[in-house]
Amino acid sequence: MTRTRLLAALVMTPLAIAAILLLPTPWMVALGAVILLAGLWEWFDLAEIEDTLARTVLLVAHLALMVAIVWASRTGTGYTLVLFQMAAVAGVVWWLLALLWLGRYGFASDHAGYARAFKLAAGALATIPAWCALAWIHYAPPNGHRWLLTALAVVWAADTGAYFAGRRFGRRKLAPRVSPNKTVEGLIGGAVAGVAAGAVFALVAGAKPAQLPAVALVALATVLFSVVGDLFESLLKRHAGVKDSGHLIPGHGGILDRIDGVLAALPAFALGKAVMGF
C-alpha cells in the first residue's frame, strides 16, 4: 500500500504544482472548482444521497453559487475579494464548530432525513469556503501562486509526516472512535513536518526571515485545521459504513480522501496569512 501511495503521489504532486504555479488565477479557480465539486459528489454519497438526479441538482446548485460569487465580485478594474474573504472566514468558523460534532460521535449518525440535511449543510460549508480561500490566496499579490503552493505544501507535508511518524512511533490513539489509526505521535510528527515545510516554502514565496515565526504559527494552525477536516471525513465514513469515499486514486481512495484536510486548511491559512500580514 505504501508503494502504491508513493507512486500515485509522484504522479499527482508535479501536476498539482505545475497547475498552481503556471495557471492564471481564473483558470486555477476553475480547476479548483472541478476538483472540489468532484469531492463534494463523493460527500453526497457519504450523506446517503443515492438518487443520481438529486445529487446532480445539488451539485449544480453549488456550482451556481460559485458562479454567483464570481459574478458579484466583478468591478470596473477587475475583481474584489470581499465575498471570497467573507466565505473563507465563515469556513474557519464552521470548522471550529465541527469540533463539537466530532465530540458527539452519535450526532446525525442515523439514516433519518435530518441527518442528511446536516451533512449536506456541512458539505456546503466545507466546499464553498475552501474554494473561496483558494481564490483569495492565489489572486492576492504578491506571489499569490507561491503562497497557495505553500498552503498546500503544509498540508501535504503534515499528511506525510503524520503517516510515517504514526507508523513508527504511534502508541496513543488520537480519536479511536472516529479514526482508530490516527495517533498523537502521528499528529506531532505531522505538525513538525507541516511547520518546517511552511517555513521553507514561505521563503520561496517571498517571506522575510523576520516573518518566519508568524508563518510557523499560521502553518501550525493550518495543520491542526487539516486534522479536523480529516477526522470529520472519517466520521462521515464511519456513519456511512465505508472505508474510502471512492476508488478513483490508487492507494488513496477517492477525491474527498485526498482533499479532506485541504478543505479545512485553506480557509485557516488564508485568514492567518491576512491577519499576520505576510
Side-chain angles (χ1 to χ4, degrees):
M1 181 62 73
T2 301
R3 179 180 297 178
T4 305
R5 288 173 65 94
L6 288 174
L7 289 175
L10 287 175
V11 173
M12 295 186 297
T13 302
L15 293 176
I17 293 173
I20 293 166
L21 296 180
L22 300 179
L23 289 179
T25 297
W27 285 102
M28 185 65 230
V29 170
L31 177 60
V34 171
I35 295 172
L36 291 175
L37 289 174
L40 185 62
W41 181 267
E42 296 177 354
W43 190 299
F44 294 156
D45 190 39
L46 298 182
E48 299 183 88
I49 307 298
E50 299 176 354
D51 182 70
T52 302
L53 178 58
R55 293 169 71 170
T56 302
V57 170
L58 287 168
L59 196 73
V60 170
H62 285 77
L63 175 60
L65 180 56
M66 290 176 170
V67 172
I69 291 173
V70 173
W71 181 84
S73 298
R74 296 179 303 167
T75 66
T77 57
Y79 290 90
T80 175
L81 293 173
V82 173
L83 290 178
F84 293 92
Q85 293 166 340
M86 292 174 61
V89 172
V92 172
V93 173
W94 150 246
W95 286 111
L96 290 174
L97 293 174
L99 286 170
L100 300 177
W101 194 334
L102 288 173
R104 299 192 59 174
Y105 175 85
F107 179 74
S109 62
D110 55 23
H111 308 287
Y114 86 95
R116 288 193 292 272
F118 273 110
K119 290 173 181 177
L120 288 176
L125 289 169
T127 303
I128 301 298
W131 175 76
C132 288
L134 179 151
W136 179 9
I137 298 169
H138 199 272
Y139 184 73
N143 299 326
H145 56 299
R146 294 184 184 180
W147 281 113
L148 178 59
L149 179 59
T150 300
L152 293 175
V154 169
V155 180
W156 296 337
D159 186 49
T160 302
Y163 179 77
F164 287 105
R167 283 173 60 90
R168 177 65 180 84
F169 303 107
R171 296 292 183 272
R172 292 169 291 179
K173 300 297 182 180
L174 179 64
R177 196 172 185 188
V178 176
S179 184
N181 292 329
K182 289 182 174 56
T183 62
V184 174
E185 292 80 6
L187 173 62
I188 295 172
V192 171
V195 170
V200 172
F201 278 84
L203 290 173
V204 175
K208 297 177 174 58
Q211 295 175 310
L212 289 184
V215 171
L217 183 61
V218 172
L220 178 59
T222 300
V223 170
L224 295 178
F225 268 79
S226 74
V227 172
V228 175
D230 195 339
L231 288 174
F232 192 82
E233 195 226 357
S234 295
L235 178 71
L236 295 179
K237 289 190 292 187
R238 286 275 170 180
H239 287 178
V242 298
K243 182 179 183 295
D244 297 313
S245 66
H247 306 284
L248 183 63
I249 306 173
H252 291 271
I255 296 292
L256 187 59
D257 290 320
R258 287 296 87 211
I259 65 171
D260 51 4
V262 173
L263 291 175
L266 285 180
F269 186 90
L271 181 59
K273 179 178 180 296
V275 171
M276 292 297 182
F278 57 80

